[in-house]
Amino acid sequence: RAFAERCLFFYGAEWIWNFFDTLLVLLSVMNLIFNSIGDTGMSNLSVARMVRFVRFIRLVRLARAVRAIQSLRLFILTIFSSGVSLIWCLLIVSVIVYFFASIILSGVTEYFRDPNWEKEEGAKLAEFYGSVWRTMVTLFMSISGGVSWKEPLEPLARVHWAC
């Protein structure tokens, strides 16, 4: 890290934490050295205890990360809390689409009751407006960009003058 940051490692905004990390690494290396020469009886020195204490102090650095974790927690809770509002919005949109689908399907049904309806137009109408579900899907695709609104509108123009 010191190689990557160069001078900013010692003079940057977080130079204290960088110094602290360097100190921890050096103390860990010292601990490894003292444990490797355990035959001489130096493994139980106070330096080893100090290294363990400094490792415990390293948890202080996690205090900074806790703030980020709290904001992430708040973000996730906000998303879950907005789920109820999303369900209500989907319900309202579904009711509106169902309402207009039933009106359109009523007009299509009246068109098919006329004995002079054309087969080509009937096939197009059945493709887009053959049932309540197809009509709702066609309306949803029209408002969400799944299909251009001109395509389902063309067969409806023959059904009634208002289209």
Side-chain angles (χ1 to χ4, degrees):
R1 197 167 148 194
F3 181 72
E5 292 182 357
R6 300 183 191 229
C7 289
L8 288 177
F9 187 79
F10 297 109
Y11 299 111
E14 303 210 356
W15 70 272
I16 295 173
W17 290 110
N18 293 337
F19 176 74
F20 183 64
D21 285 340
T22 306
L23 180 68
L24 287 175
V25 169
L26 289 175
L27 288 174
S28 295
V29 168
M30 285 176 45
N31 187 24
L32 287 173
I33 292 171
F34 287 139
N35 283 337
S36 67
I37 56 172
D39 296 337
T40 61
M42 296 188 67
S43 63
N44 288 330
L45 290 175
S46 62
V47 175
R49 289 184 198 148
M50 188 174 68
V51 169
R52 288 187 197 123
F53 179 71
V54 171
R55 282 185 188 166
F56 178 72
I57 298 295
R58 188 173 186 187
L59 292 176
V60 172
R61 181 158 182 155
L62 291 176
R64 286 181 29 205
V66 168
R67 281 184 267 163
I69 291 172
Q70 285 177 349
S71 61
L72 176 65
R73 182 175 171 243
L74 178 67
F75 180 70
I76 290 172
L77 288 175
T78 305
I79 289 174
F80 285 137
S81 297
S82 65
V84 175
S85 299
L86 177 67
I87 299 280
W88 280 110
C89 289
L90 289 175
L91 180 70
I92 290 172
V93 168
S94 298
V95 168
I96 291 171
V97 168
Y98 179 78
F99 176 75
F100 282 101
S102 63
I103 291 173
I104 290 172
L105 198 57
S106 173
V108 170
T109 305
E110 288 299 318
Y111 177 77
F112 281 124
R113 284 189 183 172
D114 184 18
N116 298 329
W117 59 275
E118 300 174 14
K119 299 283 185 195
E120 294 175 5
E121 293 299 320
K124 283 275 196 182
L125 282 171
E127 177 185 349
F128 290 117
Y129 310 104
S131 65
V132 175
W133 177 250
R134 279 190 185 174
T135 306
M136 287 180 69
V137 168
T138 300
L139 289 175
F140 182 75
M141 288 172 58
S142 296
I143 63 174
S144 65
V147 67
S148 175
W149 60 270
K150 286 185 177 182
E151 293 174 27
L153 181 66
E154 287 174 0
L156 278 181
R158 309 253 179 171
V159 172
H160 196 270
W161 60 270
C163 296

